[in-house]
Amino acid sequence: EAKARGKGCHAVFTNDMREAVRYRMQLENALREAIGTDQMFLAYQPILSLEDRRLECVEVLLRWRHPELGSISPAQFIPIAEETRLILPLSDIVLRQACLQFLHWREHMPELAPRYISVNLSRVQLTDPQLAKRMMAILDEMGMPPECLQLEVTESQIMQQRSMASELLAEFKRHGVRLAMDDFGAGYSSLSCLQEYPFDTLKVDRTLTDNISRGRGFSALLHAVVSLAENLGLEIVAEGIERVDQLVLLQALGYTYGQGFLLGRPLTADALEEWARTGAGSGNTSGNGTNTRE
Ligand code: C2E
Ligand code: MG
Ligand code: MG
Ligand code: MG
């Protein structure tokens, strides 16, 4: 597609545009080759109980380090993986690897292991009517209890695929998989979405978290969101906690779980294990808001 466009519009392309198209094609080719190799690996970001700093969950975040191009962020390569539908095989690999890692932690550090893992879904996956069947087969094959998996979807993903999304989410729910609404407050924020789909968790976007110290209006908003979650019986996670003042205010507003650089960066599996073993996730650092680890 990019190729055809590149040829047809050659004359009106500036050098910058030409360079951007070239880079985009280079990334696409590199991505095809990277899938299934150790260029791609998973990072795990802690989601903690704010009250006692217990490791509740880890969010699974895909990483790509190319030998020549260096680290490429998901914001860059996920859209390419989606356009090319490479996201489908890639997501299967992510799910398998994440389950394997979770089961390893549960066996080797049962007290410190997260209670469940949270994996992001792509909008393209939500167009696949066989998605739930395929993913449940993978869980089965891995011996992964469905209630130890949470899937994250955003409002905009659901809005693009309303009827399919609704069927798929219901099917996951029937199998006992947890569901989270990701990045709540970043986009449309249609409140009906929360009630209409069987979510377990509400993840509040970091743009809301970030606004917290900007005055009463913003904390009123964050407070309203907590009440809403409570009334709907949803667990609530504040995303993107970077500063102690945010943490303190969020706790005062009734937020029970948090995720962000202050609490823990996305870490490789080994680094997360080390982080958990050295106390950050064990509950004995309660009250200390400065235990960020690289
Ligand atoms: P997301 O699902 O909203 O993931 C959270 C993003 O926020 C991650 O970025 C994480 O590193 C970042 N983050 C966490 N805490 C903080 C903080 O305190 N401050 C700031 N500034 N950022 C924070 P990342 O890893 O770059 O991922 C970006 C997005 O890419 C994710 O957003 C998700 O939508 C997508 N993504 C990542 N991995 C996967 C995957 O395996 N599959 C799919 N479909 N999408 C993925
Ligand atoms: Mg997410
Ligand atoms: Mg998010
Ligand atoms: Mg996001």
Side-chain angles (χ1 to χ4, degrees):
E1 175 212 28
K3 198 180 268 169
R5 230 192 296 134
K7 266 184 193 150
C9 310
H10 208 258
V12 299
F13 267 36
T14 65
N15 280 336
D16 279 0
M17 287 161 81
R18 207 173 288 128
E19 178 56 28
V21 169
R22 203 189 56 79
Y23 185 62
R24 165 68 178 68
M25 288 177 63
Q26 188 182 11
L27 280 187
E28 181 179 325
N29 292 332
L31 184 62
R32 273 179 213 286
E33 281 168 20
I35 293 175
T37 74
D38 60 7
Q39 282 180 35
M40 302 200 102
F41 56 96
L42 299 182
Y44 301 88
Q45 187 175 26
I47 294 172
L48 301 183
S49 153
L50 294 181
E51 199 187 347
D52 59 8
R53 298 300 166 88
R54 189 176 44 77
L55 182 62
E56 169 79 356
C57 174
V58 291
E59 181 172 0
V60 177
L61 296 164
L62 187 55
R63 295 290 176 262
W64 179 18
R65 199 177 294 133
H66 187 271
E68 279 111 47
L69 302 171
S71 286
I72 299 153
S73 88
Q76 264 196 302
F77 72 79
I78 295 283
I80 298 177
E82 289 179 332
E83 282 168 42
T84 54
R85 298 181 74 80
L86 289 167
I87 192 73
L88 296 174
L90 186 54
S91 300
D92 284 357
I93 294 174
V94 167
L95 180 63
R96 277 209 175 76
Q97 180 60 39
C99 290
L100 204 63
Q101 188 59 58
F102 173 80
L103 294 169
H104 172 87
W105 281 328
R106 258 220 329 197
E107 195 181 325
H108 290 92
M109 46 175 219
E111 270 91 64
L112 298 174
R115 290 177 46 218
Y116 58 96
I117 55 173
S118 202
V119 171
N120 292 286
L121 282 188
S122 153
R123 63 175 172 82
V124 174
Q125 288 176 284
L126 290 176
T127 65
D128 173 8
Q130 300 300 313
L131 181 73
K133 239 165 247 115
R134 277 232 321 282
M135 288 182 71
M136 295 317 297
I138 292 177
L139 297 194
D140 205 44
E141 165 202 325
M142 309 290 303
M144 176 78 174
E147 65 276 14
C148 295
L149 176 68
Q150 174 169 272
L151 298 174
E152 300 192 4
V153 295
T154 64
E155 281 175 298
S156 61
Q157 284 171 357
I158 291 179
M159 291 310 165
Q160 287 170 37
Q161 283 302 324
R162 283 191 85 103
S163 68
M164 181 83 80
S166 141
E167 277 173 40
L168 285 170
L169 295 185
E171 197 176 344
F172 280 122
K173 193 73 249 167
R174 275 200 303 280
H175 284 100
V177 171
R178 298 177 58 104
L179 299 172
M181 165 156 294
D182 198 4
D183 302 346
F184 182 77
Y188 308 73
S189 292
S190 103
L191 299 179
S192 63
C193 210
L194 279 181
Q195 198 204 22
E196 199 176 323
Y197 299 92
F199 288 110
D200 302 278
T201 306
L202 180 60
K203 299 188 72 178
V204 179
D205 193 68
R206 83 177 135 88
T207 51
L208 282 191
T209 313
D210 197 40
N211 274 329
I212 195 169
S213 35
R214 290 225 207 131
R216 300 190 74 156
F218 287 104
S219 28
L221 197 63
L222 281 157
H223 182 66
V225 173
V226 172
S227 317
L228 182 70
E230 253 167 37
N231 288 325
L232 293 172
L234 301 173
E235 290 193 348
I236 193 155
V237 178
E239 299 189 273
I241 304 178
E242 294 181 349
R243 302 185 312 269
V244 175
D245 69 288
Q246 291 174 315
L247 178 64
V248 170
L249 280 165
L250 286 164
Q251 270 192 277
L253 288 171
Y255 281 74
T256 41
Y257 297 101
Q259 175 179 6
F261 295 165
L262 178 71
L263 303 171
R265 299 228 166 213
L267 298 169
T268 61
D270 286 348
L272 186 96
E273 192 166 328
E274 173 70 16
W275 176 90
R277 285 189 196 286
T278 53
S282 67
N284 58 14
T285 54
S286 184
N288 168 12
T290 58
N291 56 349
T292 311
R293 307 287 168 89
E294 289 296 328

